[in-house]
PDB file of all heavy atoms in Angstrom:
ATOM      1  N   ARG A 195     -64.726  49.154 108.822  1.00 93.00           N
ATOM      2  CA  ARG A 195     -64.518  47.721 108.655  1.00 93.00           C
ATOM      3  C   ARG A 195     -63.030  47.409 108.498  1.00 93.00           C
ATOM      4  O   ARG A 195     -62.247  48.253 108.057  1.00 93.00           O
ATOM      5  CB  ARG A 195     -65.315  47.201 107.470  1.00 93.00           C
ATOM      6  CG  ARG A 195     -65.076  47.923 106.167  1.00 93.00           C
ATOM      7  CD  ARG A 195     -66.102  47.521 105.107  1.00 93.00           C
ATOM      8  NE  ARG A 195     -66.015  48.343 103.921  1.00 93.00           N
ATOM      9  CZ  ARG A 195     -65.236  48.108 102.887  1.00 93.00           C
ATOM     10  NH1 ARG A 195     -64.446  47.032 102.896  1.00 93.00           N
ATOM     11  NH2 ARG A 195     -65.231  48.906 101.840  1.00 93.00           N
ATOM     12  N   SER A 196     -62.670  46.177 108.811  1.00 92.00           N
ATOM     13  CA  SER A 196     -61.256  45.810 108.872  1.00 92.00           C
ATOM     14  C   SER A 196     -60.615  45.568 107.513  1.00 92.00           C
ATOM     15  O   SER A 196     -59.379  45.567 107.423  1.00 92.00           O
ATOM     16  CB  SER A 196     -61.090  44.551 109.728  1.00 92.00           C
ATOM     17  OG  SER A 196     -61.467  44.799 111.059  1.00 92.00           O
ATOM     18  N   ASN A 197     -61.402  45.358 106.482  1.00 88.00           N
ATOM     19  CA  ASN A 197     -60.833  44.960 105.196  1.00 88.00           C
ATOM     20  C   ASN A 197     -60.781  46.092 104.174  1.00 88.00           C
ATOM     21  O   ASN A 197     -60.991  45.878 102.978  1.00 88.00           O
ATOM     22  CB  ASN A 197     -61.605  43.767 104.627  1.00 88.00           C
ATOM     23  CG  ASN A 197     -63.087  44.053 104.437  1.00 88.00           C
ATOM     24  OD1 ASN A 197     -63.591  45.067 104.916  1.00 88.00           O
ATOM     25  ND2 ASN A 197     -63.789  43.171 103.738  1.00 88.00           N
ATOM     26  N   ASP A 198     -60.512  47.315 104.649  1.00 93.00           N
ATOM     27  CA  ASP A 198     -60.423  48.461 103.750  1.00 93.00           C
ATOM     28  C   ASP A 198     -59.225  49.336 104.145  1.00 93.00           C
ATOM     29  O   ASP A 198     -59.384  50.472 104.588  1.00 93.00           O
ATOM     30  CB  ASP A 198     -61.721  49.267 103.797  1.00 93.00           C
ATOM     31  CG  ASP A 198     -61.757  50.399 102.789  1.00 93.00           C
ATOM     32  OD1 ASP A 198     -60.860  50.459 101.922  1.00 93.00           O
ATOM     33  OD2 ASP A 198     -62.670  51.243 102.873  1.00 93.00           O
ATOM     34  N   PRO A 199     -57.988  48.828 103.986  1.00 94.00           N
ATOM     35  CA  PRO A 199     -56.803  49.570 104.428  1.00 94.00           C
ATOM     36  C   PRO A 199     -56.593  50.883 103.689  1.00 94.00           C
ATOM     37  O   PRO A 199     -56.019  51.820 104.263  1.00 94.00           O
ATOM     38  CB  PRO A 199     -55.652  48.586 104.160  1.00 94.00           C
ATOM     39  CG  PRO A 199     -56.174  47.644 103.119  1.00 94.00           C
ATOM     40  CD  PRO A 199     -57.638  47.505 103.411  1.00 94.00           C
ATOM     41  N   GLU A 200     -57.041  50.985 102.442  1.00 96.00           N
ATOM     42  CA  GLU A 200     -56.854  52.223 101.685  1.00 96.00           C
ATOM     43  C   GLU A 200     -57.586  53.390 102.351  1.00 96.00           C
ATOM     44  O   GLU A 200     -57.045  54.493 102.476  1.00 96.00           O
ATOM     45  CB  GLU A 200     -57.339  52.048 100.243  1.00 96.00           C
ATOM     46  CG  GLU A 200     -56.515  51.094  99.410  1.00 96.00           C
ATOM     47  CD  GLU A 200     -56.902  49.639  99.623  1.00 96.00           C
ATOM     48  OE1 GLU A 200     -57.901  49.389 100.352  1.00 96.00           O
ATOM     49  OE2 GLU A 200     -56.215  48.750  99.085  1.00 96.00           O
ATOM     50  N   THR A 201     -58.838  53.131 102.776  1.00 96.00           N
ATOM     51  CA  THR A 201     -59.598  54.185 103.449  1.00 96.00           C
ATOM     52  C   THR A 201     -58.961  54.550 104.781  1.00 96.00           C
ATOM     53  O   THR A 201     -58.870  55.729 105.130  1.00 96.00           O
ATOM     54  CB  THR A 201     -61.057  53.735 103.667  1.00 96.00           C
ATOM     55  OG1 THR A 201     -61.696  53.596 102.398  1.00 96.00           O
ATOM     56  CG2 THR A 201     -61.825  54.749 104.504  1.00 96.00           C
ATOM     57  N   ILE A 202     -58.520  53.550 105.517  1.00 96.00           N
ATOM     58  CA  ILE A 202     -57.873  53.806 106.815  1.00 96.00           C
ATOM     59  C   ILE A 202     -56.670  54.723 106.632  1.00 96.00           C
ATOM     60  O   ILE A 202     -56.479  55.700 107.385  1.00 96.00           O
ATOM     61  CB  ILE A 202     -57.439  52.475 107.470  1.00 96.00           C
ATOM     62  CG1 ILE A 202     -58.658  51.602 107.760  1.00 96.00           C
ATOM     63  CG2 ILE A 202     -56.653  52.740 108.749  1.00 96.00           C
ATOM     64  CD1 ILE A 202     -59.703  52.231 108.641  1.00 96.00           C
ATOM     65  N   GLU A 203     -55.858  54.448 105.632  1.00 96.00           N
ATOM     66  CA  GLU A 203     -54.666  55.272 105.386  1.00 96.00           C
ATOM     67  C   GLU A 203     -55.054  56.706 105.026  1.00 96.00           C
ATOM     68  O   GLU A 203     -54.452  57.669 105.529  1.00 96.00           O
ATOM     69  CB  GLU A 203     -53.849  54.655 104.252  1.00 96.00           C
ATOM     70  CG  GLU A 203     -52.565  55.414 103.935  1.00 96.00           C
ATOM     71  CD  GLU A 203     -51.762  54.777 102.813  1.00 96.00           C
ATOM     72  OE1 GLU A 203     -52.191  53.715 102.299  1.00 96.00           O
ATOM     73  OE2 GLU A 203     -50.712  55.340 102.446  1.00 96.00           O
ATOM     74  N   ALA A 204     -56.065  56.861 104.191  1.00 97.00           N
ATOM     75  CA  ALA A 204     -56.493  58.202 103.771  1.00 97.00           C
ATOM     76  C   ALA A 204     -57.050  58.995 104.935  1.00 97.00           C
ATOM     77  O   ALA A 204     -56.782  60.198 105.071  1.00 97.00           O
ATOM     78  CB  ALA A 204     -57.534  58.083 102.660  1.00 97.00           C
ATOM     79  N   VAL A 205     -57.832  58.336 105.802  1.00 97.00           N
ATOM     80  CA  VAL A 205     -58.435  59.028 106.943  1.00 97.00           C
ATOM     81  C   VAL A 205     -57.365  59.451 107.947  1.00 97.00           C
ATOM     82  O   VAL A 205     -57.409  60.562 108.495  1.00 97.00           O
ATOM     83  CB  VAL A 205     -59.485  58.122 107.618  1.00 97.00           C
ATOM     84  CG1 VAL A 205     -59.953  58.729 108.945  1.00 97.00           C
ATOM     85  CG2 VAL A 205     -60.676  57.915 106.691  1.00 97.00           C
ATOM     86  N   GLU A 206     -56.397  58.604 108.179  1.00 95.00           N
ATOM     87  CA  GLU A 206     -55.358  58.948 109.148  1.00 95.00           C
ATOM     88  C   GLU A 206     -54.485  60.093 108.663  1.00 95.00           C
ATOM     89  O   GLU A 206     -53.895  60.815 109.471  1.00 95.00           O
ATOM     90  CB  GLU A 206     -54.530  57.708 109.479  1.00 95.00           C
ATOM     91  CG  GLU A 206     -55.350  56.678 110.266  1.00 95.00           C
ATOM     92  CD  GLU A 206     -54.506  55.580 110.870  1.00 95.00           C
ATOM     93  OE1 GLU A 206     -53.446  55.265 110.310  1.00 95.00           O
ATOM     94  OE2 GLU A 206     -54.938  55.035 111.909  1.00 95.00           O
ATOM     95  N   LYS A 207     -54.408  60.301 107.351  1.00 96.00           N
ATOM     96  CA  LYS A 207     -53.685  61.455 106.827  1.00 96.00           C
ATOM     97  C   LYS A 207     -54.390  62.764 107.177  1.00 96.00           C
ATOM     98  O   LYS A 207     -53.779  63.834 107.148  1.00 96.00           O
ATOM     99  CB  LYS A 207     -53.529  61.328 105.308  1.00 96.00           C
ATOM    100  CG  LYS A 207     -52.488  60.294 104.892  1.00 96.00           C
ATOM    101  CD  LYS A 207     -52.343  60.221 103.377  1.00 96.00           C
ATOM    102  CE  LYS A 207     -51.295  59.203 102.972  1.00 96.00           C
ATOM    103  NZ  LYS A 207     -51.175  59.081 101.492  1.00 96.00           N
ATOM    104  N   LEU A 208     -55.690  62.657 107.498  1.00 96.00           N
ATOM    105  CA  LEU A 208     -56.442  63.834 107.943  1.00 96.00           C
ATOM    106  C   LEU A 208     -56.218  64.119 109.424  1.00 96.00           C
ATOM    107  O   LEU A 208     -56.736  65.103 109.957  1.00 96.00           O
ATOM    108  CB  LEU A 208     -57.939  63.635 107.697  1.00 96.00           C
ATOM    109  CG  LEU A 208     -58.410  63.495 106.252  1.00 96.00           C
ATOM    110  CD1 LEU A 208     -59.902  63.197 106.202  1.00 96.00           C
ATOM    111  CD2 LEU A 208     -58.092  64.754 105.465  1.00 96.00           C
ATOM    112  N   GLY A 209     -55.452  63.256 110.096  1.00 96.00           N
ATOM    113  CA  GLY A 209     -55.232  63.427 111.528  1.00 96.00           C
ATOM    114  C   GLY A 209     -56.368  62.890 112.367  1.00 96.00           C
ATOM    115  O   GLY A 209     -56.500  63.217 113.540  1.00 96.00           O
ATOM    116  N   ILE A 210     -57.205  62.047 111.773  1.00 97.00           N
ATOM    117  CA  ILE A 210     -58.341  61.448 112.472  1.00 97.00           C
ATOM    118  C   ILE A 210     -57.994  60.000 112.805  1.00 97.00           C
ATOM    119  O   ILE A 210     -57.525  59.250 111.948  1.00 97.00           O
ATOM    120  CB  ILE A 210     -59.609  61.516 111.602  1.00 97.00           C
ATOM    121  CG1 ILE A 210     -59.998  62.973 111.351  1.00 97.00           C
ATOM    122  CG2 ILE A 210     -60.767  60.755 112.253  1.00 97.00           C
ATOM    123  CD1 ILE A 210     -61.121  63.153 110.341  1.00 97.00           C
ATOM    124  N   ASP A 211     -58.199  59.609 114.057  1.00 98.00           N
ATOM    125  CA  ASP A 211     -57.962  58.229 114.448  1.00 98.00           C
ATOM    126  C   ASP A 211     -58.887  57.290 113.683  1.00 98.00           C
ATOM    127  O   ASP A 211     -59.965  57.696 113.219  1.00 98.00           O
ATOM    128  CB  ASP A 211     -58.220  58.032 115.949  1.00 98.00           C
ATOM    129  CG  ASP A 211     -57.139  58.650 116.829  1.00 98.00           C
ATOM    130  OD1 ASP A 211     -56.075  59.013 116.291  1.00 98.00           O
ATOM    131  OD2 ASP A 211     -57.363  58.752 118.045  1.00 98.00           O
ATOM    132  N   THR A 212     -58.485  56.041 113.581  1.00 98.00           N
ATOM    133  CA  THR A 212     -59.355  55.020 112.999  1.00 98.00           C
ATOM    134  C   THR A 212     -59.358  53.792 113.882  1.00 98.00           C
ATOM    135  O   THR A 212     -58.341  53.422 114.467  1.00 98.00           O
ATOM    136  CB  THR A 212     -58.879  54.610 111.583  1.00 98.00           C
ATOM    137  OG1 THR A 212     -57.512  54.185 111.647  1.00 98.00           O
ATOM    138  CG2 THR A 212     -59.015  55.751 110.602  1.00 98.00           C
ATOM    139  N   ILE A 213     -60.525  53.171 113.998  1.00 98.00           N
ATOM    140  CA  ILE A 213     -60.664  51.889 114.684  1.00 98.00           C
ATOM    141  C   ILE A 213     -61.332  50.928 113.722  1.00 98.00           C
ATOM    142  O   ILE A 213     -62.422  51.205 113.210  1.00 98.00           O
ATOM    143  CB  ILE A 213     -61.493  52.012 115.970  1.00 98.00           C
ATOM    144  CG1 ILE A 213     -60.734  52.812 117.028  1.00 98.00           C
ATOM    145  CG2 ILE A 213     -61.842  50.627 116.522  1.00 98.00           C
ATOM    146  CD1 ILE A 213     -61.505  53.006 118.325  1.00 98.00           C
ATOM    147  N   CYS A 214     -60.678  49.809 113.458  1.00 97.00           N
ATOM    148  CA  CYS A 214     -61.247  48.776 112.598  1.00 97.00           C
ATOM    149  C   CYS A 214     -61.958  47.737 113.459  1.00 97.00           C
ATOM    150  O   CYS A 214     -61.456  47.353 114.515  1.00 97.00           O
ATOM    151  CB  CYS A 214     -60.147  48.091 111.794  1.00 97.00           C
ATOM    152  SG  CYS A 214     -59.330  49.174 110.611  1.00 97.00           S
ATOM    153  N   ILE A 215     -63.125  47.298 113.006  1.00 96.00           N
ATOM    154  CA  ILE A 215     -63.847  46.270 113.738  1.00 96.00           C
ATOM    155  C   ILE A 215     -64.141  45.086 112.833  1.00 96.00           C
ATOM    156  O   ILE A 215     -64.419  45.241 111.648  1.00 96.00           O
ATOM    157  CB  ILE A 215     -65.149  46.811 114.371  1.00 96.00           C
ATOM    158  CG1 ILE A 215     -66.093  47.387 113.316  1.00 96.00           C
ATOM    159  CG2 ILE A 215     -64.840  47.863 115.423  1.00 96.00           C
ATOM    160  CD1 ILE A 215     -67.442  47.827 113.881  1.00 96.00           C
ATOM    161  N   THR A 216     -64.039  43.895 113.415  1.00 92.00           N
ATOM    162  CA  THR A 216     -64.393  42.640 112.754  1.00 92.00           C
ATOM    163  C   THR A 216     -65.443  41.969 113.616  1.00 92.00           C
ATOM    164  O   THR A 216     -65.227  41.779 114.818  1.00 92.00           O
ATOM    165  CB  THR A 216     -63.166  41.712 112.627  1.00 92.00           C
ATOM    166  OG1 THR A 216     -62.162  42.383 111.852  1.00 92.00           O
ATOM    167  CG2 THR A 216     -63.542  40.406 111.957  1.00 92.00           C
ATOM    168  N   VAL A 217     -66.582  41.611 113.051  1.00 91.00           N
ATOM    169  CA  VAL A 217     -67.697  41.099 113.864  1.00 91.00           C
ATOM    170  C   VAL A 217     -68.367  39.921 113.158  1.00 91.00           C
ATOM    171  O   VAL A 217     -69.435  40.064 112.580  1.00 91.00           O
ATOM    172  CB  VAL A 217     -68.731  42.212 114.174  1.00 91.00           C
ATOM    173  CG1 VAL A 217     -68.308  43.035 115.359  1.00 91.00           C
ATOM    174  CG2 VAL A 217     -68.917  43.156 112.975  1.00 91.00           C
ATOM    175  N   GLU A 218     -67.758  38.767 113.236  1.00 85.00           N
ATOM    176  CA  GLU A 218     -68.293  37.595 112.558  1.00 85.00           C
ATOM    177  C   GLU A 218     -68.674  36.457 113.506  1.00 85.00           C
ATOM    178  O   GLU A 218     -69.078  35.390 113.061  1.00 85.00           O
ATOM    179  CB  GLU A 218     -67.285  37.077 111.521  1.00 85.00           C
ATOM    180  CG  GLU A 218     -66.956  38.072 110.412  1.00 85.00           C
ATOM    181  CD  GLU A 218     -68.148  38.452 109.542  1.00 85.00           C
ATOM    182  OE1 GLU A 218     -69.203  37.803 109.650  1.00 85.00           O
ATOM    183  OE2 GLU A 218     -68.020  39.420 108.764  1.00 85.00           O
ATOM    184  N   ASN A 219     -68.525  36.659 114.805  1.00 89.00           N
ATOM    185  CA  ASN A 219     -68.937  35.646 115.780  1.00 89.00           C
ATOM    186  C   ASN A 219     -69.057  36.301 117.149  1.00 89.00           C
ATOM    187  O   ASN A 219     -68.827  37.507 117.293  1.00 89.00           O
ATOM    188  CB  ASN A 219     -67.943  34.469 115.818  1.00 89.00           C
ATOM    189  CG  ASN A 219     -66.511  34.916 116.065  1.00 89.00           C
ATOM    190  OD1 ASN A 219     -66.245  35.680 116.983  1.00 89.00           O
ATOM    191  ND2 ASN A 219     -65.590  34.444 115.238  1.00 89.00           N
ATOM    192  N   ALA A 220     -69.413  35.511 118.155  1.00 92.00           N
ATOM    193  CA  ALA A 220     -69.657  36.055 119.489  1.00 92.00           C
ATOM    194  C   ALA A 220     -68.419  36.729 120.064  1.00 92.00           C
ATOM    195  O   ALA A 220     -68.500  37.816 120.660  1.00 92.00           O
ATOM    196  CB  ALA A 220     -70.137  34.946 120.424  1.00 92.00           C
ATOM    197  N   GLN A 221     -67.250  36.102 119.907  1.00 94.00           N
ATOM    198  CA  GLN A 221     -66.031  36.693 120.462  1.00 94.00           C
ATOM    199  C   GLN A 221     -65.698  38.015 119.790  1.00 94.00           C
ATOM    200  O   GLN A 221     -65.249  38.966 120.444  1.00 94.00           O
ATOM    201  CB  GLN A 221     -64.858  35.716 120.323  1.00 94.00           C
ATOM    202  CG  GLN A 221     -63.609  36.156 121.087  1.00 94.00           C
ATOM    203  CD  GLN A 221     -63.868  36.346 122.570  1.00 94.00           C
ATOM    204  OE1 GLN A 221     -64.350  35.443 123.240  1.00 94.00           O
ATOM    205  NE2 GLN A 221     -63.567  37.530 123.090  1.00 94.00           N
TER     206      GLN A 221
END
């Protein structure tokens, strides 16, 4: 999810890519 930057930072330190998704409407 897009609103958890702390987890994103920790995961990327493992050398694993991250993709954040936001899904609140059709677009």
Side-chain angles (χ1 to χ4, degrees):
R195 54 191 171 88
S196 296
N197 58 349
D198 186 10
E200 293 83 6
T201 294
I202 297 303
E203 181 180 358
V205 170
E206 292 192 332
K207 286 181 179 178
L208 296 176
I210 297 172
D211 287 347
T212 55
I213 291 179
C214 294
I215 59 175
T216 300
V217 277
E218 299 297 349
N219 54 50
Q221 190 58 55

